[in-house]
Amino acid sequence: MDSANPQPPAQPLFASLGVKFYRYRTVFRRYWWVIALTCGMGLALKSYLLLTAPQRFESESRMIIREEMIKDSDAGGYRDQTGGNFIGTTIEQLKSPTVLERAYKRVALEAPEFSGEEVEIVPSAAPRSGIILVNGVGTQPEFTQRYVDAVVEELKAIRLEQRTGIKTEVTGQLGDQVASLKKELEVEKAKLQEFIETNNMAFWAEQGTSAALFLSGLKNQQAGLQNELQRLENLSPDQLLSMAPTAAPSPRIGGANPSMPTPGQQSFNSELYTQYLLKTQELTQRQAELEERSEVWKPKHPRLQALKTDVERIQRNLEVIKTQNADAARNRIVSIKAELKSLDSSIETWEAKVQEASRKDAQYQTLQANVARTQAQTEKLLGSVNSIMTGSSTDPDPLVVMQKASPAKEVPKGTVKHLLIGLLGGLLVGSLILFVINRLDDRLASSSELLQQFTEPILAQIPNVIESRTDSGLPLVRDDDSRYSYAEAFRSLRSSLIFMPNQSDLRTLLVTSAIPNEGKSTIASNLAVTMAASGARVLLVDADMRRGDIAQIFGIEGRAGLSSILRGEIPWKDAVVETQYPTLSIITRGPVTNQSGELLLKPLMVKLLEEFKGAYDLAIFNTAPILATDDTPSLAPNFDGALMVVRAQFTSARLTRNALDALYARQVNVLGLILNSVDAEMPDYNYYRYPKYYAA
């Protein structure tokens, strides 16, 4: 079923890539000679270089690493004792300008006749071994061999110079450091001796010990008094009497234990505590005896009265003891606070003495440590200097020459390799040129590119049927046309026009293109045939009065036509030619004229269009290319719609845009675009993939 939707669906990624590939393939087919030319130039250039290049010779020398070099199995290479990559360092030294220049000078002295020759040195490491290969390539075999040997010898000489220079430099540096450390050691010893002479260290040591011991006793006494003060302040007098008294500590010097109480330092309430304890026991005993006798004796009994009096006396004594204890506690608190204040002053004095003794001792220890450290550093450096000086004057080089330079052999020129390089280089350059050509070429090749460049809808894609062209051009479509895709494309175009909005107002139609040879005449003719096949009365008018070929396409007489009508030579009905299609009539261009622009602007043209609308269902005008003449832009505003034909791989997008702008400037109703001569193999050509399946 024909679709009225003129826009093809969005193309997937592979289709977009396919379109780009198709463009490159088309460019390659069109400009294949560019690839052939660049490849030929590449082969020619490489051939010339091979023919003019001198014969080269190669010589090889081998060096091996001594056993003392340690293999780094993880890194796959050899490392020296410092952890460096020995093989890599040696290869870089072999390529250094210093080694190469010295080797060249050596050979120049030994063989002056070879001066001016150049040899390329290529050092490398044999895989999974400690062998270093030194290859030299030059144009003179004898000079090449001599130069390779000279490079190896100069490398060993430079390494020896470096080791000797490093040893001398290190020895000198160590000697300077030893002299500096000896001076520093003398200064440190002088400082220590001066400190010992200035300060009596034995006195300060004894002073520090005794002062620390006495200070400890003072702090113990202070702690005891603080505990007693806290006890007196936190406990009530009754609680103090009910608890055993404690002794206050006193400082002792000379080995006495400062925590032991001394005579006269018993607790302030020890005597009251004893009296309170005795009176309490006596009161308890009297109260028990009174309770026992009260059960036997009468209340007025003299002895019972005496017991009661005794109990009251004891209770009064206890109250007196409590009062005395409270007074004693207050007095003791005042006394303890005074003692603590005195102790704070004493502790501060003795702490200063202890700190002074400690500072002196710390200075002494620091000076001793400085002397010991400086002396140890001096002895260590002296040992290093002696070790270097007593060692061998030259250490063995880790590199041993395993094989001197071999006799130079001819190096194959690699003809096949160079020719392949030339061929590939030419292919690359040619491909780059084709890429640039493709980027600069804005000719439209597919509907995807057309949609990217323009907003106008694509009404049809007409496939390329160049194989069916005859001497008189492409045959018109027929009902039994074997060009199935070609015929269906015009039916699709017909459907797109029939189902357009306001199709009833579409009575006059103009078919044009941007430039000549885009196939607009063929498109207009086949569209007229397809419309007539549906039963519509169609008039096809050839309005290209310079090069119109509608008469040739239909094979009819074209002596009188549109130019004759516009000149007023004949009525338009006399110029109408009937065709083999019952409902299709044609008006040819008539005699060729250079005044087509003036004729098309006559008021008679507008009158003719109105008469054509009354006599036919659809009038299709084939007009001149827009950018070739001004005929079409002048004529198009009088039509209900215009169709722009774009030939694939032929029309420039820039020219098509200019043509559309010219129509829009005249307020022309552009219905859409027709992409002509589309390659059916294009990835985005979605119509009639299986023509044989659908063909009757």
Side-chain angles (χ1 to χ4, degrees):
M1 180 178 178
D2 295 331
S3 173
N5 184 10
Q7 294 285 1
Q11 299 297 325
L13 177 61
F14 72 89
S16 176
L17 294 177
V19 171
K20 292 182 180 180
F21 173 77
Y22 180 85
R23 282 190 63 94
Y24 287 121
R25 186 183 69 175
T26 303
V27 171
F28 176 77
R29 288 178 177 178
R30 186 177 297 147
Y31 299 101
W32 59 269
W33 54 269
V34 174
I35 297 289
L37 179 62
T38 54
C39 289
M41 292 177 63
L43 290 174
L45 177 61
K46 276 297 182 180
S47 299
Y48 173 77
L49 294 176
L50 284 173
L51 292 175
T52 57
Q55 180 62 51
R56 296 168 66 83
F57 299 88
E58 181 181 17
S59 178
E60 181 182 88
S61 177
R62 297 191 174 195
M63 295 184 292
I64 190 170
I65 303 174
R66 292 181 180 272
E67 293 294 332
E68 59 264 23
M69 300 301 294
I70 302 172
K71 184 173 182 182
D72 185 354
S73 58
D74 295 335
Y78 288 80
R79 296 186 178 273
D80 55 23
Q81 296 179 354
T82 62
N85 189 332
F86 183 79
I87 291 180
T89 304
T90 303
I91 290 176
E92 292 300 321
Q93 286 180 323
L94 286 168
K95 295 188 294 184
S96 67
T98 303
V99 173
L100 299 179
E101 184 178 355
R102 289 179 55 164
Y104 180 80
K105 291 180 179 179
R106 170 179 283 204
V107 178
L109 291 174
E110 296 175 354
E113 66 274 12
F114 295 114
S115 61
E117 298 291 338
E118 293 186 1
V119 177
E120 180 185 2
I121 298 297
V122 184
S124 61
R128 309 182 70 83
S129 69
I131 298 176
I132 298 176
L133 309 177
V134 184
N135 292 284
V137 180
T139 57
Q140 293 292 335
E142 185 177 352
F143 179 76
T144 302
Q145 182 179 1
R146 286 174 175 268
Y147 188 74
V148 171
D149 280 334
V151 168
V152 173
E153 293 301 326
E154 288 300 326
L155 172 68
K156 294 176 65 64
I158 288 177
R159 291 178 60 85
L160 177 60
E161 293 172 3
Q162 290 175 344
R163 292 197 303 275
T164 305
I166 291 174
K167 179 183 294 185
T168 303
E169 182 180 358
V170 170
T171 304
Q173 292 177 353
L174 291 179
D176 294 341
Q177 293 181 12
V178 168
S180 176
L181 285 175
K182 285 183 177 180
K183 292 181 180 179
E184 185 179 351
L185 179 61
E186 294 299 327
V187 172
E188 296 295 339
K189 287 182 177 179
K191 289 181 180 180
L192 178 61
Q193 185 62 31
E194 181 182 1
F195 184 81
I196 292 175
E197 293 175 357
T198 305
N199 301 278
N200 187 352
M201 295 310 301
F203 167 76
W204 283 109
E206 182 181 358
Q207 177 72 13
T209 303
S210 60
L213 183 61
F214 188 79
L215 180 63
S216 175
L218 290 177
K219 289 186 176 181
N220 288 336
Q221 183 180 0
Q222 183 185 42
L225 291 174
Q226 288 175 344
N227 290 334
E228 183 180 0
L229 178 62
Q230 184 178 8
R231 178 171 175 270
L232 292 175
E233 290 177 344
N234 293 336
L235 298 179
S236 63
D238 293 343
Q239 290 175 333
L240 290 173
L241 285 174
S242 63
M243 299 175 64
T246 58
S250 176
R252 291 296 179 187
I253 301 176
N257 187 355
S259 63
M260 294 296 294
T262 58
Q265 284 190 314
Q266 296 296 330
S267 178
F268 74 96
N269 65 341
S270 57
E271 184 178 353
L272 293 176
Y273 173 76
T274 303
Q275 295 178 5
Y276 179 78
L277 183 61
L278 293 175
K279 290 297 180 180
T280 302
Q281 292 175 353
E282 183 180 0
L283 177 62
T284 302
Q285 183 179 359
R286 291 288 184 270
Q287 287 177 342
E289 185 178 355
L290 177 61
E291 183 178 356
E292 180 183 356
R293 294 300 179 182
S294 297
E295 295 178 356
V296 179
W297 293 340
K298 293 182 178 180
K300 298 294 184 178
H301 193 281
R303 296 186 64 182
L304 183 62
Q305 291 293 329
L307 282 175
K308 290 181 179 180
T309 302
D310 199 10
V311 168
E312 292 175 357
R313 179 184 57 79
I314 294 173
Q315 288 178 343
R316 286 193 298 272
N317 290 338
L318 287 175
E319 291 298 328
V320 171
I321 291 173
K322 289 180 180 182
T323 302
Q324 293 176 350
N325 182 69
D327 294 338
R330 286 191 294 271
N331 295 332
R332 182 58 180 166
I333 288 174
V334 174
S335 175
I336 289 175
K337 288 182 178 180
E339 289 184 30
L340 286 175
K341 185 175 181 181
S342 176
L343 281 175
D344 288 340
S345 177
S346 299
I347 289 174
E348 183 178 355
T349 301
W350 285 97
E351 279 182 345
K353 293 181 180 181
V354 171
Q355 290 177 358
E356 179 66 17
S358 299
R359 186 176 61 81
K360 294 289 184 181
D361 184 66
Q363 290 179 354
Y364 178 73
Q365 296 296 333
T366 300
L367 291 173
Q368 279 189 327
N370 290 339
V371 171
R373 174 181 55 79
T374 307
Q375 188 169 1
Q377 291 178 351
T378 304
E379 292 175 355
K380 183 178 179 180
L381 284 178
L382 285 173
S384 300
V385 172
N386 293 332
S387 176
I388 294 175
M389 297 302 295
T390 57
S392 176
S393 60
T394 57
D395 296 330
D397 193 340
L399 287 175
V400 178
V401 178
M402 180 181 178
Q403 171 190 316
K404 287 196 171 184
S406 62
K409 298 179 181 179
E410 291 186 1
V411 179
K413 290 188 175 182
T415 304
V416 176
K417 175 184 176 182
H418 284 79
L419 291 179
L420 285 176
I421 293 175
L423 181 63
L424 292 176
L427 182 62
L428 179 62
V429 172
S431 300
L432 181 61
I433 293 174
L434 293 187
F435 175 78
V436 173
I437 291 175
N438 180 67
R439 298 294 294 180
L440 297 177
D441 186 6
D442 66 340
R443 286 179 290 188
L444 302 166
S446 66
S447 60
S448 298
E449 296 175 358
L450 203 62
L451 288 174
Q452 291 175 0
Q453 297 286 341
F454 303 97
T455 58
E456 290 78 13
I458 300 176
L459 300 180
Q461 299 183 59
I462 310 301
N464 188 6
V465 288
I466 189 66
E467 68 278 357
S468 65
R469 178 179 292 275
T470 62
D471 295 338
S472 59
L474 285 176
L476 296 172
V477 294
R478 303 184 303 272
D479 292 339
D480 57 347
D481 204 319
S482 60
R483 301 169 299 177
Y484 181 80
S485 299
Y486 187 67
E488 285 298 326
F490 283 101
R491 296 187 183 106
S492 177
L493 175 58
R494 178 184 62 189
S495 298
S496 298
L497 295 174
I498 290 175
F499 293 107
M500 274 190 172
N502 301 324
Q503 184 273 336
S504 59
D505 297 333
L506 190 62
R507 303 294 299 279
T508 56
L509 192 63
L510 182 142
V511 179
T512 186
S513 63
I515 58 177
N517 300 322
E518 295 195 63
K520 58 178 180 54
S521 299
T522 303
I523 297 294
S525 300
N526 284 315
L527 177 59
V529 171
T530 307
M531 284 291 190
S534 66
R537 294 173 300 162
V538 180
L539 175 63
L540 176 60
V541 181
D542 193 351
D544 186 357
M545 290 185 288
R546 288 183 173 88
R547 296 184 59 184
D549 55 355
I550 296 296
Q552 289 82 359
I553 292 176
F554 282 88
I556 59 178
E557 184 68 28
R559 293 182 180 179
L562 183 60
S563 61
S564 303
I565 297 172
L566 294 176
R567 286 194 185 99
E569 296 175 356
I570 60 173
W572 70 269
K573 292 184 179 181
D574 293 343
V576 174
V577 180
E578 301 297 332
T579 64
Q580 59 180 336
Y581 305 96
T583 59
L584 175 60
S585 301
I586 296 176
I587 296 178
T588 62
R589 73 166 189 264
V592 176
T593 176
N594 290 328
Q595 298 178 345
S596 57
E598 290 76 7
L599 293 176
L600 293 174
L601 286 175
K602 285 186 175 184
L604 179 59
M605 188 69 230
V606 179
K607 181 179 179 182
L608 285 175
L609 289 176
E610 293 299 326
E611 292 180 3
F612 291 162
K613 290 181 181 180
Y616 297 94
D617 296 325
L618 178 64
I620 301 175
F621 276 61
N622 173 51
T623 62
I626 297 173
L627 300 181
T629 68
D630 191 53
D631 297 356
T632 302
S634 300
L635 182 63
N638 300 316
F639 284 77
D640 298 332
L643 299 178
M644 173 69 73
V645 177
V646 179
R647 181 178 171 183
Q649 302 180 26
F650 180 80
T651 310
S652 166
R654 176 179 56 84
L655 296 179
T656 303
R657 171 54 57 197
N658 292 341
L660 288 171
D661 290 342
L663 293 179
Y664 289 135
R666 307 292 175 89
Q667 303 300 317
V668 177
N669 179 24
V670 179
L671 300 177
L673 307 177
I674 300 174
L675 186 59
N676 189 27
S677 298
V678 181
D679 190 345
E681 296 181 1
M682 285 291 292
D684 62 346
Y685 184 76
N686 297 321
Y687 299 103
Y688 321 119
R689 286 289 186 180
Y690 311 100
K692 293 181 180 180
Y693 178 82
Y694 289 103

